[in-house]
């Protein structure tokens, strides 16, 4: 069931979203050649602690996971699409990194993700990341009262497919509120004019996940969490928590 948020609740979620933005900013600044994803996780923990917030990722265990998630951020490198567990493997020049972060503050959750290159970027990776953010922007632009979930999905999918990229089937955005994952689901591909109507007070995480090789296939790592492209091609992930309001979409996880 979709939980509509009051205006005061949206303001509270904005504060949680600010913390998420701070986490992502600090992690990106720390992500230089030679640093490990586990060290980025430590950076994120410090930001959360200073803000008096916690991570909805830490110890999260959905039905598919063999173990609780052991970190406060997901760090997915190169062909890892999402849900990467931070490791001690040092980042190298040219690595494409996606960081997904969340924060719980005063009982409300924010969720956001960024992708970027460490060091010198290959043009193909730059195009992939730019397209991920363009797809996110298109999805946000469609997140207006009177539209439907399918309009968001169509906007995201059109940008991704037009650029020749693949989209993971069965994964996409979701509602956000007191919990990190709430109804409704927000696919990254769909038909316009279909699905649940968008109403004032809905809060959604919109999150394109792109596969550079153009196919939609992916595989699970043995850790049970990390999802990788089946063809070994690069991947990118972009996400914001967005409130649907009568005045238009409001990004709650912007810095």
């Amino acid at each position: 069931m979709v939980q509509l948020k009051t205006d005061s609740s949206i303001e509270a979620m904005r504060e949680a979203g600010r913390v998420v933005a701070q986490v992502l900013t600090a992690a990106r600044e720390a992500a230089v050649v030679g640093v490990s994803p586990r060290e980025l996780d430590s950076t994120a923990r410090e930001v959360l602690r200073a803000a008096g917030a916690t991570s909805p990722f830490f110890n999260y265990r959905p039905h598919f996971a063999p173990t609780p998630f052991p970190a406060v951020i997901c760090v997915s490198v190169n062909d890892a699409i999402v849900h990467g567990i931070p490791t001690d493997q040092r980042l190298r020049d040219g690595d494409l990194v996606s960081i997904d972060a969340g924060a719980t503050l005063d009982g409300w959750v924010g969720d956001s993700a960024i992708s970027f290159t460490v060091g010198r970027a290959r043009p193909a990776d730059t195009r992939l990341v730019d397209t991920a953010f363009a797809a996110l922007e298109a999805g946000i632009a469609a997140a207006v009262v009177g539209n439907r979930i399918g309009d968001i999905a169509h906007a995201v999918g059109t940008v991704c497919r037009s650029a020749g990229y693949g989209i993971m089937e069965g994964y996409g955005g979701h509602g956000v509120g007191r919990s990190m994952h709430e109804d409704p689901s927000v696919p990254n591909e769909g038909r316009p004019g279909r699905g649940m109507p968008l109403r004032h007070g809905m809060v959604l995480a919109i999150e394109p996940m792109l596969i550079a090789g153009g196919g939609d296939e992916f595989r699970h790592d043995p850790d049970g969490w990390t999802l990788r492209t089946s063809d070994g091609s690069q991947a990118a992930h972009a996400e914001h928590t967005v409130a649907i309001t009568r005045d238009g979409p409001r990004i709650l996880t912007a810095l």
Side-chain angles (χ1 to χ4, degrees):
M1 183 174 67
V2 175
Q3 300 289 334
L4 297 179
K5 279 70 177 179
T6 64
D7 291 348
S8 61
S9 295
I10 290 173
E11 290 300 325
M13 292 189 70
R14 171 60 177 140
E15 295 309 307
R18 288 185 205 277
V19 177
V20 177
Q22 292 164 5
V23 168
L24 289 174
T25 298
R28 179 167 186 170
E29 290 175 352
V32 297
V33 174
V35 168
S36 73
R38 198 184 303 275
E39 289 171 326
L40 300 182
D41 186 69
S42 295
T43 296
R45 289 173 189 259
E46 286 301 309
V47 175
L48 290 169
R49 182 195 58 77
T54 58
S55 170
F57 293 12
F58 185 64
N59 277 333
Y60 179 59
R61 188 178 184 181
H63 66 89
F64 63 81
T67 59
F69 195 76
V72 301
I73 57 174
C74 300
V75 184
S76 306
V77 182
N78 293 325
D79 64 333
I81 310 167
V82 289
H83 302 167
I85 296 176
T87 68
D88 291 320
Q89 180 69 44
R90 302 289 173 179
L91 295 176
R92 300 167 300 177
D93 185 48
D95 277 346
L96 198 166
V97 178
S98 297
I99 300 179
D100 193 353
T104 303
L105 183 67
D106 296 328
W108 294 102
V109 175
D111 187 11
S112 184
I114 57 174
S115 292
F116 56 92
T117 297
V118 174
R120 293 167 293 182
R122 291 179 288 272
D125 288 349
T126 298
R127 178 175 180 268
L128 177 66
V129 171
D130 287 348
T131 304
F133 282 104
L136 175 60
E137 291 174 2
I140 293 171
V144 297
V145 173
N147 271 359
R148 293 176 176 267
I149 291 291
D151 294 304
I152 297 176
H154 178 71
V156 170
T158 296
V159 172
C160 297
R161 295 298 190 191
S162 296
Y165 298 129
I167 300 170
M168 285 201 305
E169 184 177 355
Y171 285 83
H174 48 87
V176 185
R178 293 289 189 182
S179 300
M180 180 168 57
H181 292 124
E182 297 183 353
D183 291 334
S185 62
V186 186
N188 283 327
E189 193 167 31
R191 298 178 63 182
R194 299 295 184 93
M196 181 179 295
L198 303 180
R199 299 170 59 190
H200 178 87
M202 293 175 70
V203 179
L204 308 173
I206 301 172
E207 51 177 322
M209 308 167 201
L210 280 61
I211 298 174
D216 299 346
E217 295 76 24
F218 60 94
R219 61 182 177 84
H220 291 258
D221 266 9
D223 63 25
W225 278 99
T226 308
L227 302 180
R228 294 187 184 274
T229 62
S230 292
D231 60 6
S233 65
Q234 301 283 72
H237 178 202
E239 178 184 18
H240 269 309
T241 297
V242 180
I244 312 298
T245 79
R246 299 182 188 91
D247 298 323
R250 182 182 180 189
I251 302 173
L252 302 183
T253 44
L255 188 63

